[in-house]
Amino acid sequence: MFARIIIDIANSNVDRLFTYRIPEELDVKKGHRVIVPFGRGNKPQEGFVLDLCEECDTRFEVKSVIRTLEPYTALLPDQIELSQWIAKAYHCTVCDALRLMLPAQLRGSRVKEKTVRTVCIAEGIDAAEARQKLLKKDGTPKSCKQLELFDILSKCGIPMTTSDLNAYVPSAGAAINALIGKGFITEQGHITFRRPLMKDVGRDSSPELTAAQQNAVDTISNGGAGDVFLLYGVTGSGKTEVYLNAIEIAIKNGGGAIVLVPEISLTPQTTDRFRRRFGDTVAVMHSHLSAGERYDEWRRIRFGKARVVVGARSALFAPVEDLKLIVIDEEHEPSYRSESRPEYSADEVAVRRARRTGAKLVLGSATPQLISFLRAKQGAYKLIALPERINGIPMPQVEIVDMRSEFMSGNNSIFSLNLAQKLKKCVENGEQAILFLNRRGYSYHGECRACGHVFKCPNCDVAMTYHKFDDTLRCHYCGYAVRVPKVCPDCGSVYIKYSGIGTQQVEEQLKKLIPSVRCLRMDTDTISGKTSHRDILDSFTAGNADVLIGTQMVAKGLDIPGVTLVGVVFADASLFHSDYRSGERTFQLLTQVAGRAGRAVKQDGSGRGTVVIQTNAPNHRAVRLAAEHDYDTFFEQEINDRLRTLFPPFSVFARAVFECADENTAAESAEVFADEAEKALRSALAVFGENAENELLLLTHGAAPIRKRNNLYRYAVVVKLARTKHTNAAVTALWELSDRYNIDGFKGVEINPNDLL
Ligand code: ADP
Ligand code: ZN
Ligand code: ZN
């Protein structure tokens, strides 16, 4: 027998199948990781067995597999197939794709399995008789320690770890060994899984589903293998409960499930809900796990001890056998797109994995990606709507405040009169509020009030951020920091104002507005360590504060019944980006934040949510329609605009960036690349007929929006292609060009990057 092996080296030159003989005495299966001799020097290398075959071309020397790395196969057959697909679809090596499937710690054997020594009363002995033998004639113990240990173990009845025993009987080692020698107790080594520290959350069961929820669950369970469902449900409509019920069905049918949630909402609140329903069969995978914990969670899944995986994007690759369900919650979140190689989109890969394994895929959102909703309308996805909140709770009432007229009428505080008044009332009534801000730090950028001079980073072509705690201006791209100048370097004026606002400033003004207010702040500055996020949330949920101030982190998934007021301090932050998606993103964000308000209306009707959106652009479509909870109209208008201007999903963007210390070099490189890309694209498209070249809609080169970063000048080539059945061929032509391109500062080709900055 022979094994077809990919060597674990992410270099495209060796990214092909090598054939090795399997020695008689080795049991090598498809999916095993093995050690093989590789290259001239026969250096031992790790490799993945992707296939077995009976014969091979023996004209060449065939080397033999040295050994298997694990007794079990690390890769499932469906993961192997998925890796090969990813390599093609996203232009990476098969090795790169395979690495997605394994915890990094497994490779290179960096983490050892943790075994602990346990002992228990030996089987078949008479405990009373044995105990007697530990006593002297006069009834006193021959050895106090031995007797004590024996008593603990017989009382306990189950194996105990030696370290636990040591806690009862200090320095028990010798005594334990003596008892083993006498045959009274026996030792068993066994593997334990390092579970991430978790508090006991108890168990619950499903509430009675609403008719709409039941319909959703039925539609999913009656669907066919590989079907994709778009669960389009307003915030608080009970989508999570639908997932939980669909998972329950998957488990009952002997299968497993994967649930992806955005990293940012991978809060204990979310994961606890799954653990309460499914207990220890839930594995949680997120970036805060230690290397060992991650490895152990992966093995719990691989060995079938965990059947439900809840995690961020990469959990999509978890080794779940008999996968019956994949859920992507908040499917519109940009974090489902990988920014590093391979640059995959979780939803696309999930569609593929579902089709291959026969699992069903559920995409859930109150504000689906335009592309997903379009697919649902076209029938490629099955649309399931949950148009109402649970228990007939009304959607929050949203008011828009025009901050420009607020300023003109003499109010230059952060809070409009409207929001200030509502905040006071909310706190007086003992209710809770969330203030949302789309920014971090104390204020946006330093600006001279007299001449408008903006303080920019000398390394990067961006405005610096003012940080109050040390009175500095800082660049968020490169970390450059300076003390705030006393006078304007341009005009000498001392009126340097800090336009824009940050969470810290909101907190200060709030305390001025309501001196007795108790508030909590949650942003990347206040979150540190493993538990801080949970501490803040727990504390707020427990009612220890009236107001929670935060950035994006407070927007997602929080379900806190006491919250009746949400204030969006400044809605424009995400609006005026030079990005075609900023409208879509703003709509999603505002809808999410607004959805945090009034999730639990009381019997007497009080507690209805109110949202105040402060903005300088009250008539912007994204703001107006989010306030009206009108996704359908937003979708219609936005998708028509995209079609008219041929932006995605009707086209594909590709971008190549050059970063050089010398500006001319960067500019010239981009120009040369643009020429070659044009040639390559035209000839790739020409194959499909004369008109196909028209599908190249745009090809430009020039300075990137952030012209300078970390002292490097940045120039970019931007390509826009109409999305047709020829697009893949065109993209492949670009990739091939990029593979051949090996010049300084070339950052490669990105397809539909998350931003074009
Ligand atoms: P979504 O995920 O759509 O925002 P959730 O699933 O979080 O909605 O549900 C919102 C709230 O309603 C949660 O507190 C949840 O426990 C509760 N809930 C969901 N379904 C039901 C139901 N059938 N009966 C009672 N309460 C429910
Ligand atoms: Zn000035
Ligand atoms: Zn900088």
Side-chain angles (χ1 to χ4, degrees):
M1 277 298 254
F2 300 92
R4 311 265 287 147
I5 288 170
I6 291 271
I7 305 296
D8 193 2
I9 300 175
N11 179 330
S12 51
N13 293 327
V14 297
D15 196 52
R16 55 198 160 84
L17 290 164
F18 293 91
T19 304
Y20 284 86
R21 189 186 306 280
I22 305 174
E24 288 277 307
E25 69 276 14
L26 282 188
D27 179 25
V28 175
K29 296 200 193 71
K30 184 170 164 174
H32 260 123
R33 293 191 327 121
V34 290
I35 297 276
V36 293
F38 187 70
R40 284 254 166 90
N42 283 328
K43 198 169 162 256
Q45 282 286 355
E46 296 186 4
F48 310 95
V49 179
L50 296 203
D51 213 352
L52 298 181
C53 53
E54 307 247 341
E55 279 161 35
C56 92
D57 190 342
T58 45
R59 277 174 304 173
F60 306 102
E61 187 211 343
V62 182
K63 300 174 193 171
S64 294
V65 174
I66 297 173
R67 63 183 174 90
T68 52
L69 276 157
E70 289 89 23
Y72 53 91
T73 55
L75 294 160
L76 303 176
D78 109 76
Q79 293 179 302
I80 293 177
E81 195 271 347
L82 192 65
S83 308
Q84 287 166 323
W85 179 82
I86 287 171
K88 275 211 195 76
Y90 301 105
H91 195 64
C92 64
T93 63
V94 176
C95 181
D96 277 331
L98 286 167
R99 287 178 177 181
L100 292 172
M101 314 283 155
L102 302 169
Q105 298 79 16
L106 188 68
R107 300 176 32 252
S109 308
R110 266 161 286 191
V111 171
K112 290 276 168 285
E113 292 180 354
K114 188 178 169 194
T115 23
V116 292
R117 195 173 166 217
T118 59
V119 289
C120 61
I121 300 291
E123 229 173 286
I125 68 156
D126 184 328
E129 206 175 287
R131 188 174 196 281
Q132 207 56 47
K133 290 185 186 152
L134 290 171
L135 301 175
K136 289 183 195 156
K137 287 241 167 61
D138 63 359
T140 56
K142 291 180 187 157
S143 148
C144 293
K145 274 192 188 172
Q146 288 183 30
L147 185 69
E148 216 176 322
L149 285 167
F150 189 84
D151 284 345
I152 290 167
L153 280 166
S154 31
K155 215 182 289 162
C156 169
I158 55 164
M160 286 181 74
T161 66
T162 48
S163 59
D164 281 349
L165 285 172
N166 264 306
Y168 291 105
V169 184
S171 322
I176 290 172
N177 288 338
L179 286 171
I180 293 173
K182 293 191 171 110
F184 292 176
I185 66 174
T186 49
E187 178 180 1
Q188 29 189 218
H190 79 147
I191 306 167
T192 55
F193 296 109
R194 264 158 299 208
R195 301 296 308 281
L197 193 65
M198 290 185 293
K199 72 176 192 198
D200 187 14
V201 292
R203 293 296 284 266
D204 69 3
S205 55
S206 175
E208 195 175 330
L209 296 184
T210 64
Q213 284 174 319
Q214 191 62 54
N215 167 57
V217 174
D218 291 345
T219 309
I220 295 165
S221 77
N222 295 334
D227 276 358
V228 184
F229 304 88
L230 179 60
L231 183 62
Y232 161 49
V234 297
T235 53
S237 60
K239 293 185 290 296
T240 311
E241 204 47 61
V242 171
Y243 308 149
L244 291 167
N245 277 268
I247 295 167
E248 207 169 314
I249 294 172
I251 294 177
K252 273 207 191 101
N253 292 334
I258 294 174
V259 184
L260 302 189
V261 299
E263 176 85 47
I264 207 163
S265 66
L266 203 50
T267 56
Q269 246 205 344
T270 312
T271 53
D272 286 357
R273 250 177 111 173
F274 288 86
R275 291 175 53 225
R276 270 200 300 275
R277 196 64 56 81
F278 302 114
D280 262 358
T281 193
V282 174
V284 177
M285 297 195 112
H286 57 75
S287 56
H288 291 306
L289 296 185
S290 73
E293 287 168 346
R294 189 183 289 268
Y295 172 53
D296 287 355
E297 284 295 84
W298 180 86
R299 282 186 317 148
R300 287 207 315 127
I301 301 163
R302 178 65 190 86
F303 299 156
K305 289 217 183 325
R307 305 294 285 146
V308 179
V309 182
V310 182
R313 185 179 67 220
S314 59
L316 177 56
F317 304 109
V320 179
E321 265 179 304
D322 298 314
L323 188 60
K324 292 248 189 302
L325 183 73
I326 305 174
V327 173
I328 303 185
D329 187 30
E330 312 285 3
E331 64 94 35
H332 59 273
E333 276 293 307
S335 63
Y336 285 128
R337 221 195 107 86
S338 156
E339 299 273 80
S340 59
R341 208 168 205 211
E343 289 164 13
Y344 65 91
S345 296
D347 57 344
E348 293 171 4
V349 179
V351 168
R352 176 76 194 182
R353 191 164 188 199
R355 204 178 286 158
R356 170 76 192 178
T357 55
K360 288 158 188 160
L361 170 60
V362 178
L363 307 173
S365 176
T367 54
Q369 302 177 75
L370 294 181
I371 174 83
S372 300
F373 207 68
L374 186 66
R375 286 197 182 127
K377 291 212 151 186
Q378 293 168 341
Y381 295 172
K382 298 198 162 58
L383 186 65
I384 307 174
L386 296 178
E388 276 156 26
R389 282 182 155 188
I390 291 289
N391 292 335
I393 293 174
M395 292 302 285
Q397 191 180 335
V398 185
E399 295 169 24
I400 300 174
V401 177
D402 185 344
M403 289 307 271
R404 293 168 308 180
S405 43
E406 197 80 12
F407 184 77
M408 294 305 276
S409 64
N411 175 12
N412 62 356
S413 119
I414 289 177
F415 304 116
S416 58
L417 295 179
N418 187 345
L419 183 55
Q421 203 186 358
K422 291 205 162 73
L423 277 167
K424 276 188 188 154
K425 206 162 140 240
C426 177
V427 174
E428 265 167 32
N429 291 348
E431 297 167 353
Q432 290 180 298
I434 292 178
L435 289 173
F436 169 74
L437 195 72
N438 201 6
R439 264 178 208 150
R440 164 174 108 96
Y442 180 86
S443 97
Y444 192 35
H445 53 252
E447 189 179 303
C448 169
R449 198 182 277 189
C451 75
H453 174 85
V454 172
F455 295 93
K456 285 190 171 185
C457 171
N459 304 325
C460 312
D461 196 27
V462 293
M464 292 194 288
T465 304
Y466 176 59
H467 283 240
K468 192 180 181 220
F469 76 100
D470 56 358
D471 202 32
T472 55
L473 293 165
R474 287 173 183 272
C475 171
H476 277 182
Y477 285 97
C478 73
Y480 177 86
V482 282
R483 293 297 295 254
V484 174
K486 293 267 176 296
V487 296
C488 171
D490 257 15
C491 71
S493 139
V494 294
Y495 302 106
I496 296 173
K497 89 166 186 189
Y498 305 103
S499 68
I501 27 180
T503 49
Q504 225 176 320
Q505 198 182 9
V506 173
E507 182 176 6
E508 279 168 24
Q509 293 223 5
L510 180 65
K511 283 183 172 152
K512 264 187 215 140
L513 183 71
I514 312 168
S516 67
V517 76
R518 301 165 305 156
C519 64
L520 283 168
R521 207 149 58 82
M522 182 155 77
D523 54 37
T524 39
D525 289 336
T526 56
I527 300 286
S528 56
K530 270 196 182 182
T531 49
S532 170
H533 191 232
R534 172 165 211 152
D535 293 346
I536 295 175
L537 279 184
D538 280 353
S539 175
F540 189 61
T541 310
N544 294 336
D546 310 306
V547 182
L548 175 67
I549 303 167
T551 52
Q552 256 85 331
M553 285 179 203
V554 302
K556 315 273 160 68
L558 292 192
D559 188 7
I560 298 168
V563 174
T564 55
L565 175 66
V566 167
V568 178
V569 178
F570 191 56
D572 305 18
S574 58
L575 266 183
F576 301 109
H577 261 257
S578 54
D579 187 320
Y580 65 91
R581 282 161 296 201
S582 55
E584 189 180 356
R585 297 250 165 95
T586 303
F587 183 89
Q588 289 164 348
L589 205 53
L590 291 180
T591 304
Q592 286 301 327
V593 188
R596 300 310 114 214
R599 289 170 72 94
V601 176
K602 298 194 193 86
Q603 288 297 326
D604 60 3
S606 70
R608 166 148 193 213
T610 307
V611 180
V612 177
I613 299 177
Q614 305 192 137
T615 176
N616 283 343
N619 294 317
H620 193 288
R621 178 200 294 161
V623 176
R624 201 165 34 80
L625 292 174
E628 291 165 15
H629 312 290
D630 191 353
Y631 174 83
D632 293 322
T633 305
F634 181 77
F635 169 81
E636 288 303 335
Q637 298 188 356
E638 194 77 12
I639 203 86
N640 282 332
D641 276 1
R642 299 275 183 97
L643 183 59
R644 190 169 44 73
T645 53
L646 283 177
F647 269 102
F650 304 103
S651 60
V652 171
F653 272 90
R655 185 172 81 136
V657 176
F658 294 84
E659 293 185 355
C660 308
D662 175 55
E663 184 161 13
N664 283 332
T665 314
E668 276 164 26
S669 302
E671 190 174 348
V672 174
F673 187 84
D675 271 355
E676 295 206 22
E678 181 164 3
K679 270 185 236 144
L681 287 169
R682 287 201 187 284
S683 66
L685 288 168
V687 176
F688 302 106
E690 228 169 278
N691 293 329
E693 281 188 51
N694 296 337
E695 291 168 19
L696 175 55
L697 300 173
L698 172 86
L699 194 147
T700 61
H701 63 90
I706 296 174
R707 194 174 59 103
K708 196 177 169 201
R709 182 150 84 196
N710 279 324
N711 274 324
L712 296 173
Y713 287 91
R714 307 173 72 247
Y715 277 71
V717 178
V718 176
V719 175
K720 186 171 155 191
L721 293 155
R723 190 187 278 279
T724 69
K725 45 184 188 297
H726 311 140
T727 313
N728 283 351
V731 167
T732 304
L734 271 184
W735 274 334
E736 280 167 3
L737 173 65
S738 133
D739 282 349
R740 276 183 277 126
Y741 232 71
N742 191 13
I743 70 166
D744 273 358
F746 179 51
K747 309 303 271 183
V749 170
E750 300 163 284
I751 305 298
N752 282 340
N754 260 355
D755 70 58
L756 289 172
L757 294 176

